[in-house]
Amino acid sequence: MTDSARQRPDWQTWPNLITLFRFLLIPVFVGLVVAGHPGWALVALVVLGVSDWADGFIARKFNQTSKLGKALDPLADRLAIIAIVLSLVLTGLLPWWVVAVVVFVDLVLLVLSSVLFHGNPDLDVTWTGKIRSALLFVGLPVLLFSAVHAVDENAPWVRVVALVFVYLGTAGHVLAGAQYAVAMVAKRRRVPVA
């Protein structure tokens, strides 16, 4: 068998399959939150967080990185974060301005990548972006957990702790967005787009 016959297509990797699963799980989570099932929504959110970690780990460990994965992974992260915060705002658990900040940063990055690269700038995820995602993927489930009736009545401090994580994650989202914007401009200067 030749080398070319053994090579898999760029899109055909386990991490990309996990990322696709994350895309499909996002509307399930939103439906559970809006329907008033915080416990099941929390389970879906934990699965989202674990799958976010798993696709990156598998890609690095088994050398299954791909251009498609580099484009889809951050998109799945952003869509998940936007969907999660929107559903939590709709149920009154989260202030609306968090959504406004997250959406604004993502719109700025979308416009920049469209103008400078006519699409995906193919940038690596930064540590700030990873920390931001970790803070939000801890804070948002804890915030959802604080909505469970027994927790809400007996431990209202849980919501305060959750909001601290979410606010730090939101600040990290702004910082990561600024870093991506600077990286896009720098890459555009180095590699002109035809």
Side-chain angles (χ1 to χ4, degrees), residues 34-59:
V34 173
H37 301 291
W40 285 111
L42 184 59
V43 171
L45 192 53
V46 168
V47 173
L48 267 172
V50 170
S51 62
D52 180 37
W53 169 83
D55 66 4
F57 174 78
I58 292 169

Side-chain angles (χ1 to χ4, degrees), residues 77-83 85-86 94 96-109 132 136 140 166 169-171 173-174:
D77 285 347
R78 287 190 185 100
L79 285 178
I81 290 169
I82 290 170
V85 295
L86 272 176
L94 191 65
W96 66 268
W97 63 263
V98 172
V99 178
V101 169
V102 169
V103 170
F104 176 75
V105 169
D106 286 346
L107 284 176
V108 168
L109 292 177
R132 172 259 348 251
L136 290 173
L140 294 171
V166 171
T170 304
H173 193 70
V174 173

Side-chain angles (χ1 to χ4, degrees), residues 36-193:
H37 301 291
W40 285 111
L42 184 59
V43 171
L45 192 53
V46 168
V47 173
L48 267 172
V50 170
S51 62
D52 180 37
W53 169 83
D55 66 4
F57 174 78
I58 292 169
R60 289 184 298 275
K61 180 79 174 174
F62 299 102
N63 194 27
Q64 291 194 3
T65 57
S66 66
K67 286 184 180 180
L68 181 64
K70 281 187 176 184
L72 288 182
D73 186 57
L75 178 61
D77 285 347
R78 287 190 185 100
L79 285 178
I81 290 169
I82 290 170
I84 291 164
V85 295
L86 272 176
S87 59
L88 294 177
V89 166
L90 289 173
T91 55
L93 291 170
L94 191 65
W96 66 268
W97 63 263
V98 172
V99 178
V101 169
V102 169
V103 170
F104 176 75
V105 169
D106 286 346
L107 284 176
V108 168
L109 292 177
L110 179 65
V111 168
L112 265 178
S113 65
S114 296
V115 169
L116 297 178
F117 293 94
H118 310 294
N120 179 26
D122 192 28
L123 296 173
D124 290 329
V125 177
T126 65
W127 274 106
T128 307
K130 291 177 182 179
I131 292 169
R132 172 259 348 251
S133 294
L135 285 167
L136 290 173
F137 277 123
V138 169
L140 294 171
V142 174
L143 187 59
L144 189 58
F145 178 66
S146 75
V148 174
H149 185 68
V151 177
D152 188 34
E153 282 194 346
N154 300 311
W157 57 267
V158 172
R159 184 169 193 266
V160 175
V161 171
L163 286 172
V164 168
F165 273 86
V166 171
Y167 294 160
L168 288 173
T170 304
H173 193 70
V174 173
L175 182 56
Q179 289 175 334
Y180 288 127
V182 168
M184 277 190 242
V185 171
K187 184 173 182 176
R188 178 67 176 91
R189 287 181 178 160
R190 285 193 317 269
V191 184
V193 175

